[in-house]
Amino acid sequence: MVMKSKEGAMTMLSSLRAIKELKSGNTLILREHTWLKYLSLTKEKNVNLEQVESLEQMAKNPVLDYVERTLHVLDGLSLPDDQKEWVEEVLMWSETAKCGLPHQRKEWIDKGFQLAIHNIGSAQIYAAEMEKRSEEERNREREELLFVLIQTHGLSGQYIRGEVRYSSMEPLIRIAKPEMFPLLYALNQCIVAGVSTEVWDSVREEMEEVNRWICNGDMARKQTLPERLRRLRSQAALRGEDFNAAYDEWVLANPEAESLLDRFFQRMDMWYVEAALTDFTFEECMKIFLLIEQKKRYSSLEQLSFEPMMKELYYDHKGRKTVNIYKKRIIESYLAEYTIREILNGKLPGNEHVSLKAAPLHGQEEMAGVGFSFSRAGEKLIEFCQEAEKSPLYDRAIVLLYDLFNFRKDAYDRLNNEQTYLSDMNSSQDFKKKISDYAVGKTMIDIGPGGGVMLDLLTRHHTGATVIGIDIAVNVVEELKRKKQRENAPWDVMQGDALKLEDYIGKEGADTIVFSSILHEMFSYIPYEGKKFNHKVIAQTLRSALKALKPKGRIIIRDGIMTEPLDQKRIIRFKDPHGLAFFKRYVGDFKGRAITYSSAGEDAVLLNVNDAMEFLYTYTWGEEAYPHEVQEQFGYFTPSSYQEFIHRILGDQAEILVFEHYLQEGYKEHLDQKIALTDEKGYPVRLPDSTCFVVVEKK
């Protein structure tokens, strides 16, 4: 109810006053407002996680908070008092099916209320409460209209998002009239702006159009399959997905799948789709839809909820809501087991540790909830990986996870560190400019392109050149594809193996091949001939690169370097009281080689210079990178041995044009605060060179 003061100014909505009273501690207010009792007395947290930044810091009662926001939006609108009162009552009741204490929810379910479809369930709750009133208190015509408004609330926005069919709004279309437009438009503004004013600004024009269709009694509107999918992939498009290309490629390869999914979408409303599927590729989403369609048990359903998948896909990592990359990788592997054509032919992925599930929500058959179930062993291992994220056990846990699900394709997928890793790659531009200066020719290949900075530099400074990034990690390739689409980048990217480079770009297919901080990772992670930390992997990579190079083409390497003479000793004296413990932990965890040391006094150790440097690289990066850095050996040749190795492997087919080495910027500044480095006699010495820059030209 809206009241005017004597001056004619609008006062606070009665619903907002009730919420304010409750938050001030007056629980007696719940006796007067049943809708508020249901919203506030609940253990449920049924909320779309798209707008949530932290699960742990999520509001105690996010639904009530959302309703309050919608009412504040209404409070600020210029709307006739009677229409404002109608909208207020719709907003008060429209989320009640998401709340209620367990006994109350059981009572509703026993009565057949469709709580899983919360707009319908809320309308049923509203109607049941009206039935408790005496005839003198009731206005049945008003109640019937409010019932339909609650029953269909939010569907206009869901239609715009592609989640529901236009025909689902038929109950509202049948009773709507042109004069209802201001009310309906205001209601939808409250519903959407209560989520995000930015989202409302982006849909307000289309919302006006849809609401006018409804108020004019237009029953004939319908979205085609590509249009609906485009809307469902709008967030993916903002991240860089080329929907048109993805859809056209998919239809070309699977024409029969298009007609099958068209029929599927014509009969199905879907909820929480974007929240659950945005991080998956277009083809993976199509496979999920087809797998659901194959479950003929649910062929009569018209409602599908991805809420279970949305909830299981996210967890808090470092205080922020994050995609559970362990589960995501497992789901991706599961979906990769069969092609779309095989799925159409009735083959379903078979993995004892993961499967797609589509089961009724709340024990009712009106809506199926979609998600993925993991075996008990799989769930425990996923939990273990999450717990191990900040410990040396992390990579061991990851190996167990990969072995259990048998899905590891790229030996150095950095999982939760991948975004930080790509960001680090993007931030190290200075030395990459030097690489670009030495690049030649019309076809340039960047091996392990990370976040794409090298690709950008090469295309910027070599206009007209064909620039291609090649990475073995699927997630890196997919992210770069999205970046390419977002920024309309001229370069290309493909998944490929640097050990067989000529298979991807052809013999003598490239003018420049860049290895920027990638060879040491290949050396550390690839078990070549059954052995990691094997110089043969470097040899095979260089041979493959030479085959792929045109005459006068160049291999450019920027990577770690060891120092010489090899037998030098250094003393590390720790300024940080925890430094020595960190060092001892590192010695036990480092996988590159055995490190021996002796005590050189309190908080000091004596060891080989290259062992000291390997440790100091990790010590510089700290705990965040520790689980990965202990798996990697950054320096794998001294300057002289590296040059000799190149001559021996490439022979007289190649010439070293440039061979430089230097201390990478930043190490000294970071380490000065943590350690003092001296020779065996205690005299201060400089940090050895960490990095080499090599240019090899094919004769």
Side-chain angles (χ1 to χ4, degrees):
M1 185 71 173
V2 179
M3 304 297 293
K4 288 189 177 181
S5 67
K6 293 180 180 179
E7 292 77 16
M10 306 297 286
T11 61
M12 182 183 290
L13 297 172
S14 62
S15 54
L16 285 174
R17 289 202 306 274
I19 293 173
K20 185 177 181 181
E21 281 283 312
L22 177 64
K23 289 189 172 182
S24 70
N26 180 16
T27 56
L28 295 178
I29 196 74
L30 299 180
R31 297 180 181 179
E32 304 173 33
H33 300 281
T34 309
W35 61 273
L36 186 55
K37 179 180 74 173
Y38 293 151
L39 291 177
S40 62
L41 301 181
T42 182
K43 293 182 179 180
E44 300 289 316
K45 283 195 175 184
N46 295 316
V47 62
N48 193 321
L49 299 180
E50 281 180 275
Q51 303 291 327
V52 175
E53 293 187 358
S54 170
L55 302 181
E56 291 178 358
Q57 297 175 19
M58 188 165 55
K60 183 178 180 182
N61 192 330
V63 176
L64 178 58
D65 285 358
Y66 165 70
V67 172
E68 185 178 12
R69 291 197 302 273
T70 66
L71 291 166
H72 276 297
V73 175
L74 175 62
D75 203 31
L77 297 181
S78 296
L79 201 64
D81 287 358
D82 58 338
Q83 293 191 24
K84 208 166 196 177
E85 182 180 343
W86 283 63
V87 174
E88 179 184 19
E89 190 151 8
V90 174
L91 296 175
M92 287 157 46
W93 288 97
S94 289
E95 305 295 318
T96 50
K98 294 181 178 179
C99 299
L101 290 172
H103 74 277
Q104 180 64 71
R105 294 182 65 79
K106 183 179 183 304
E107 181 181 323
W108 288 334
I109 291 171
D110 290 343
K111 289 180 178 179
F113 292 179
Q114 298 182 31
L115 302 186
I117 312 173
H118 82 271
N119 54 315
I120 296 177
S122 295
Q124 292 170 324
I125 293 169
Y126 167 78
E129 291 302 319
M130 295 304 103
E131 287 294 331
K132 295 177 182 179
R133 296 183 178 183
S134 65
E135 283 298 321
E136 293 76 18
E137 296 177 296
R138 301 186 66 180
N139 180 335
R140 291 189 179 273
E141 183 179 353
R142 183 177 186 277
E143 288 175 16
E144 288 173 5
L145 178 56
L146 283 170
F147 177 89
V148 174
L149 288 172
I150 296 169
Q151 180 189 26
T152 58
H153 89 278
L155 294 188
S156 296
Q158 300 306 107
Y159 169 76
I160 290 172
R161 293 187 63 160
E163 294 195 332
V164 306
R165 300 157 296 163
Y166 184 78
S167 59
S168 296
M169 294 184 284
E170 184 176 332
L172 179 59
I173 299 171
R174 291 192 180 282
I175 65 168
K177 300 174 182 178
E179 56 267 28
M180 284 179 59
F181 174 79
L183 183 153
L184 197 57
Y185 184 77
L187 173 60
N188 281 289
Q189 181 175 352
C190 295
I191 292 168
V192 178
V195 174
S196 163
T197 54
E198 290 79 11
V199 173
W200 169 248
D201 288 340
S202 70
V203 303
R204 60 193 311 165
E205 291 184 8
E206 191 168 7
M207 185 66 75
E208 179 178 351
E209 182 179 36
V210 172
N211 287 175
R212 290 202 185 280
W213 295 343
I214 294 170
C215 291
N216 291 334
D218 189 344
M219 291 281 193
R221 302 289 171 172
K222 179 182 175 183
Q223 290 173 348
T224 64
L225 175 64
E227 177 60 21
R228 197 167 169 193
L229 287 174
R230 183 193 305 278
R231 292 171 182 272
L232 288 174
R233 300 297 292 169
S234 61
Q235 289 300 312
L238 290 175
R239 299 183 187 185
E241 178 177 275
D242 186 344
F243 174 83
N244 289 336
Y247 185 82
D248 290 346
E249 182 180 347
W250 175 72
V251 170
L252 185 65
N254 311 282
E256 65 274 32
E258 183 184 31
S259 58
L260 184 64
L261 279 191
D262 185 43
R263 294 192 297 272
F264 177 73
F265 272 75
Q266 283 181 28
R267 66 175 173 82
M268 195 69 72
D269 289 339
M270 304 180 195
W271 305 84
Y272 303 105
V273 180
E274 279 197 295
L277 299 184
T278 291
D279 288 287
F280 292 90
T281 67
F282 180 85
E283 178 156 331
E284 287 167 346
C285 291
M286 297 307 101
K287 285 184 177 181
I288 289 172
F289 291 136
L290 287 169
L291 286 169
I292 297 168
E293 196 280 335
Q294 296 285 63
K295 293 180 177 291
K296 301 299 183 183
R297 174 184 172 188
Y298 302 106
S299 59
S300 62
L301 284 180
E302 294 186 356
Q303 302 284 342
L304 201 62
S305 175
F306 284 82
E307 184 180 14
M309 183 173 177
M310 173 191 71
K311 287 183 174 180
E312 72 189 13
L313 195 60
Y314 295 104
Y315 79 119
D316 273 356
H317 179 66
K318 298 180 181 176
R320 294 185 64 84
K321 183 195 73 178
T322 306
V323 172
N324 190 319
I325 204 71
Y326 314 106
K327 290 186 176 181
K328 182 171 180 283
R329 289 286 181 270
I330 294 165
I331 293 170
E332 289 168 344
S333 175
Y334 170 84
L335 295 172
E337 288 184 20
Y338 289 113
T339 65
I340 285 178
R341 186 171 300 279
E342 288 174 322
I343 293 173
L344 290 173
N345 290 333
K347 288 186 178 180
L348 300 180
N351 188 310
E352 63 178 311
H353 294 294
V354 59
S355 62
L356 178 74
K357 60 184 179 184
L361 290 175
H362 303 302
Q364 299 170 340
E365 295 289 342
E366 76 276 357
M367 176 183 277
V370 178
F372 284 84
S373 60
F374 302 91
S375 67
R376 186 171 182 181
E379 286 280 9
K380 292 296 183 183
L381 193 47
I382 290 167
E383 291 174 14
F384 176 50
C385 289
Q386 292 172 203
E387 288 296 319
E389 281 171 353
K390 288 189 176 182
S391 82
L393 292 172
Y394 178 67
D395 283 274
R396 299 173 206 173
I398 295 301
V399 170
L400 289 171
L401 185 76
Y402 289 166
D403 287 344
L404 181 67
F405 289 97
N406 192 31
F407 73 90
R408 189 175 188 176
K409 302 298 182 188
D410 50 307
Y412 38 90
D413 180 355
R414 290 172 177 260
L415 293 169
N416 267 318
N417 195 45
E418 68 191 33
Q419 291 303 322
T420 304
Y421 174 65
L422 296 182
S423 176
D424 290 341
M425 291 293 98
N426 282 339
S427 66
S428 50
Q429 295 194 37
D430 290 345
F431 74 83
K432 294 192 174 186
K433 173 61 171 63
K434 184 173 182 177
I435 292 173
S436 177
D437 290 342
Y438 278 91
V440 296
K442 293 297 184 181
T443 304
M444 301 177 180
I445 309 297
D446 182 21
I447 305 298
V453 169
M454 192 73 249
L455 299 174
D456 290 336
L457 285 173
L458 289 172
T459 52
R460 187 182 311 137
H461 295 291
H462 299 272
T463 55
T466 298
V467 178
I468 303 171
I470 296 180
D471 204 296
I472 198 169
V474 176
N475 61 300
V476 172
V477 172
E478 290 299 325
E479 181 57 37
L480 284 171
K481 285 182 178 178
R482 289 189 283 268
K483 173 182 168 69
K484 173 181 170 63
Q485 174 66 13
R486 285 195 307 270
E487 301 175 7
N488 194 27
W491 43 258
D492 287 307
V493 61
M494 69 169 70
Q495 186 183 12
D497 187 349
L499 296 177
K500 303 172 183 177
L501 199 54
E502 69 275 15
D503 291 351
Y504 298 92
I505 58 176
K507 291 185 178 180
E508 298 190 351
D511 295 289
T512 297
I513 300 174
V514 176
F515 296 94
S516 179
S517 294
I518 192 67
L519 286 177
H520 79 275
E521 294 199 352
M522 297 175 67
F523 173 73
S524 301
Y525 288 108
I526 295 177
Y528 194 77
E529 295 182 350
K531 177 185 175 185
K532 292 183 180 180
F533 304 100
N534 188 344
H535 289 104
K536 289 183 179 180
V537 77
I538 308 293
Q540 174 59 30
T541 302
L542 294 181
R543 289 193 190 102
S544 176
L546 194 69
K547 290 178 184 177
L549 271 186
K550 297 176 183 177
K552 289 293 182 180
R554 291 179 176 179
I555 298 170
I556 303 177
I557 299 168
R558 186 267 184 188
D559 213 353
I561 196 77
M562 300 172 80
T563 194
E564 50 193 356
L566 289 171
D567 59 356
Q568 294 179 84
K569 300 291 185 181
R570 291 290 181 261
I571 293 175
I572 300 175
R573 194 170 303 281
F574 293 98
K575 299 176 182 179
D576 180 351
H578 304 291
L580 184 58
F582 187 101
F583 170 80
K584 290 179 179 179
R585 176 156 59 101
Y586 172 86
V587 169
D589 292 329
F590 181 55
K591 298 296 186 294
R593 58 180 179 267
I595 292 178
T596 58
Y597 69 96
S598 60
S599 174
E602 187 177 357
D603 290 328
V605 291
L606 173 70
L607 70 167
N608 178 278
V609 62
N610 286 302
D611 290 345
M613 285 307 295
E614 277 296 335
F615 163 71
L616 292 176
Y617 298 143
T618 299
Y619 196 40
T620 302
W621 288 99
E623 289 287 354
E624 170 65 21
Y626 182 89
H628 304 288
E629 295 299 323
V630 294
Q631 307 293 319
E632 300 176 9
Q633 184 172 315
F634 187 51
Y636 46 92
F637 284 122
T638 64
S640 60
S641 63
Y642 211 152
Q643 293 179 74
E644 186 278 328
F645 181 82
I646 293 172
H647 286 306
R648 177 163 51 85
I649 297 302
L650 303 184
D652 58 6
Q653 297 181 68
E655 177 185 2
I656 298 176
L657 299 184
V658 179
F659 196 103
E660 302 173 351
H661 46 92
Y662 55 91
L663 179 64
Q664 184 176 325
E665 187 177 347
Y667 279 126
K668 183 178 186 303
E669 291 74 15
H670 279 89
L671 290 171
D672 278 348
Q673 305 170 39
K674 295 182 174 183
I675 61 108
L677 189 69
T678 70
D679 62 16
E680 292 178 84
K681 296 180 179 180
Y683 294 109
V685 292
R686 67 179 291 276
L687 291 168
D689 290 347
S690 61
T691 308
C692 66
F693 180 78
V694 186
V695 181
V696 178
E697 187 171 272
K698 184 174 181 178
K699 292 182 180 179

